[in-house]
Amino acid sequence: MKMTRLDGSGRACSAPTSTGRARPTQFLPILVTLIFLFAAASHAAEPDWDLIGKTAVDKLQQYVRIQSIDPPANTAEAAQFVKGLLAEGGISAQLYTSGPGGQTNLVARVAGRDRSKKPLLLLNHLDVVPVDRKSWKFDPFAAVIQNGEIWGRGTMDMKGLAIQQMMALVTLNKSGIVPARDIVMLSTADEENNGTYGIRWMIANHFSDIDAEYVLDEGGFGTRDILAPGKLVFGIEVGEKQTLWLRVKARGTAAHGSQPIPDNANVTLLAALQKAMALPPAKPHPVVAEMIHTIGELAANRYTAAIQGNTISLTTLTSGVGSPAKVNVIPSAAEATLDCRLLPGVNAPEFISEMKARINDPRVTVEIINDADDPGVSNSRTPLFEAMRRAILQVHSDAVVTPMLVPHGTDSNKLRVKGLTAYGFTPMVLDLSTAGSMHSDQEHIPIAEFQKGIRIFYEVLRGEW
Ligand SMILES: [Zn+2]
């Protein structure tokens, strides 16, 4: 019972005021009322975390058992489930059908004290990626518990995080705590397939229902090994890399395989790809510089390597004549695709023209498959960022909190483009194998961290921002 916790409730201030000239004894009923109000409010502000933790595990198991696989992202049942969970906490939600295959989005709103400020948006997605059932140890939709972990598709990405957000919001509402400003929760369909029926559809058709100043989405996380060895680091994602997909094509002369020629499209393509992928070192990004300043030298792994520069992955190679391709025919064309991820602030057209200059071969063309958008990074000097830092430290006193970049894309960039300040916030300590289990046949979530994260979310939501 901490009286200091009252600042989030907005209730203690509503005590009656007194006028002058009264004798001290006249204050007694007011004093009693005040004490009662303080006690009631502070009592309400101490949720039963054991019970909430158990309920959350049960809810996550139920949620995982709903197979909201994308494609086709039929999220109607998942959205109904979320609607029911929120209703248990006195929060009503609206459903938005966005596609012909049951694609459904959900929006719920909890009114805040200052309604002139734009809301905080809690963002999560209802869909999950498909499974290869044969390779799973457990039924991917049974939500089996073993060794303190829940196993199943969506436990990490991102039904677990969604349940944390919901349980925190419901707990806040049940406690009678009015947040600093409106909190809107958006659960989207189709995040795993570019958001066509999800975030993109909501932005195009109902942006005023979800417009906000702040967004909390998946992204950053706590870890003892991925970012810095032997140190508990909580990264809050403030930006992500730009996704730029390119097709490289080489042309040559068709010929008989028995008589090698210099103008072989395959050989030209291989030489071009080697030059294309020889990236010059990138200028360190300010967010990464701040990470290094805050946590010291970064751990050496593919994750930290990817956030320290621009990257290119050679993802497909297509060539040959006939199906199956003939071994004795030199083809006249060959092509490859490159998945390029650029640091925020890197100019994509310049990146491509530098690549073309490195290749420097008129037989080779570079085409854009998708345009990268670069909304830049969100400002970490905000009251909400500070509220997250405080909430993390309250539960993990030995943690170092830093803004961070993530190497992959999330829905957040689609909202950063619209001017929203978006943070990727996964309030759990994850090791490499757990964080890396997303989309794999071993997806699982550690229950203890899952439960602690609800408390962290709750502390954030009741903060001043
Ligand atoms: Zn996800």
Side-chain angles (χ1 to χ4, degrees):
M1 267 211 219
K2 285 188 188 167
M3 302 302 257
T4 49
R5 297 272 180 80
L6 276 172
D7 57 4
S9 73
R11 294 171 69 180
C13 305
S14 59
T17 52
S18 168
T19 51
R21 289 196 199 175
R23 288 194 306 274
T25 49
Q26 285 183 305
F27 287 111
L28 202 61
I30 296 165
L31 194 66
V32 169
T33 309
L34 268 174
I35 289 169
F36 176 76
L37 278 175
F38 269 81
S42 65
H43 189 73
E46 285 295 344
D48 181 346
W49 291 111
D50 274 355
L51 180 65
I52 291 164
K54 283 184 192 128
T55 308
V57 168
D58 184 48
K59 294 291 180 193
L60 178 53
Q61 286 182 296
Q62 291 176 35
Y63 196 18
V64 168
R65 288 169 189 151
I66 299 169
Q67 301 184 25
S68 48
I69 298 168
D70 189 356
N74 182 339
T75 49
E77 193 187 344
Q80 281 296 348
F81 172 81
V82 171
K83 189 177 178 180
L85 196 162
L86 293 173
E88 285 171 27
I91 301 167
S92 59
Q94 196 183 339
L95 303 186
Y96 301 69
T97 305
S98 54
Q103 294 90 345
T104 308
N105 301 278
L106 173 147
V107 176
R109 182 179 290 258
V110 172
R113 295 198 298 278
D114 187 346
R115 305 211 70 184
S116 68
K117 288 182 177 162
K118 280 187 167 188
L120 161 66
L121 182 70
L122 291 177
L123 180 58
N124 56 69
H125 59 87
L126 299 153
D127 58 324
V128 296
V129 291
V131 296
D132 173 13
R133 278 181 182 270
K134 300 184 299 297
S135 52
W136 280 74
K137 190 163 103 187
F138 303 107
D139 177 343
F141 298 105
V144 169
I145 294 179
Q146 194 179 68
N147 298 332
E149 297 181 306
I150 306 175
W151 294 73
R153 175 60 82 228
T155 48
M156 277 300 300
D157 186 14
M158 90 173 259
K159 289 180 170 173
L161 193 54
I163 293 286
Q164 289 178 319
Q165 294 182 353
M166 290 172 217
M167 292 302 295
L169 192 60
V170 161
T171 304
L172 192 81
N173 206 48
K174 279 185 175 168
S175 307
I177 296 173
V178 181
R181 60 174 85 197
D182 283 12
I183 298 176
V184 175
M185 199 184 84
L186 169 62
S187 303
T188 59
D190 208 23
E191 190 269 350
E192 299 292 0
N193 202 13
N194 209 19
T196 308
Y197 294 113
I199 191 72
R200 289 179 192 272
W201 189 88
M202 286 301 296
I203 289 173
N205 295 286
H206 298 281
F207 185 63
S208 63
D209 293 354
I210 59 166
D211 190 14
E213 179 167 357
Y214 296 120
V215 182
L216 294 184
D217 188 11
E218 59 189 338
F221 51 87
T223 173
R224 293 184 192 278
D225 54 6
I226 300 169
L227 296 177
K231 236 181 243 181
L232 177 56
V233 177
F234 265 87
I236 295 172
E237 184 237 289
V238 295
E240 59 195 53
K241 293 174 77 182
Q242 312 172 55
T243 304
L244 173 68
W245 291 343
L246 300 176
R247 179 175 288 113
V248 183
K249 282 184 178 169
R251 297 210 63 83
T253 306
H256 198 291
S258 63
Q259 296 139 64
I261 52 168
D263 190 28
N264 178 327
N266 285 333
V267 176
T268 305
L269 181 68
L270 283 179
L273 289 174
Q274 261 176 349
K275 291 179 199 157
M277 293 174 67
L279 279 171
K283 219 171 83 204
H285 191 275
V287 171
V288 176
E290 186 175 349
M291 285 175 79
I292 294 169
H293 179 77
T294 310
I295 65 181
E297 201 184 329
L298 299 181
N301 55 48
R302 68 181 189 205
Y303 192 96
T304 53
I307 60 175
Q308 291 182 78
N310 305 314
T311 59
I312 301 177
S313 284
L314 171 57
T315 48
T316 70
L317 285 166
T318 314
S319 179
V321 173
S323 177
K326 291 288 288 171
V327 178
N328 59 355
V329 177
I330 296 173
S332 61
E335 66 176 64
T337 56
L338 301 176
D339 183 351
C340 312
R341 305 295 174 120
L342 316 186
L343 287 172
V346 170
N347 181 294
E350 270 173 34
F351 179 87
I352 296 167
S353 55
E354 284 166 19
M355 179 185 284
K356 285 179 178 166
R358 286 199 300 280
I359 295 171
N360 190 26
D361 187 332
R363 297 169 298 176
V364 177
T365 56
V366 178
E367 295 168 11
I368 299 171
I369 300 172
N370 83 318
D371 273 316
D373 43 32
D374 181 21
V377 298
S378 292
N379 177 17
S380 61
R381 310 283 189 272
T382 65
L384 179 61
F385 194 96
E386 284 315 307
M388 289 190 281
R389 188 198 302 276
R390 274 198 305 274
I392 290 166
L393 293 175
Q394 214 169 317
V395 175
H396 300 278
S397 55
D398 58 334
V400 186
V401 182
T402 176
M404 75 180 285
L405 291 183
V406 297
H408 52 81
T410 72
D411 277 346
S412 292
N413 260 8
K414 297 171 190 93
L415 292 165
R416 287 191 183 105
V417 173
K418 302 285 287 180
L420 281 67
T421 298
Y423 299 124
F425 183 57
T426 305
M428 289 183 270
V429 181
L430 305 173
D431 59 21
L432 256 175
S433 73
T434 306
S437 77
M438 290 192 220
H439 292 208
S440 84
D441 51 19
Q442 311 188 19
E443 190 171 349
H444 61 276
I445 193 166
I447 291 174
E449 285 304 313
F450 167 65
Q451 292 172 325
K452 272 185 218 162
I454 299 167
R455 179 82 192 266
I456 297 175
F457 258 119
Y458 173 82
E459 295 298 338
V460 172
L461 297 187
R462 74 206 295 260
E464 290 299 323
W465 23 261

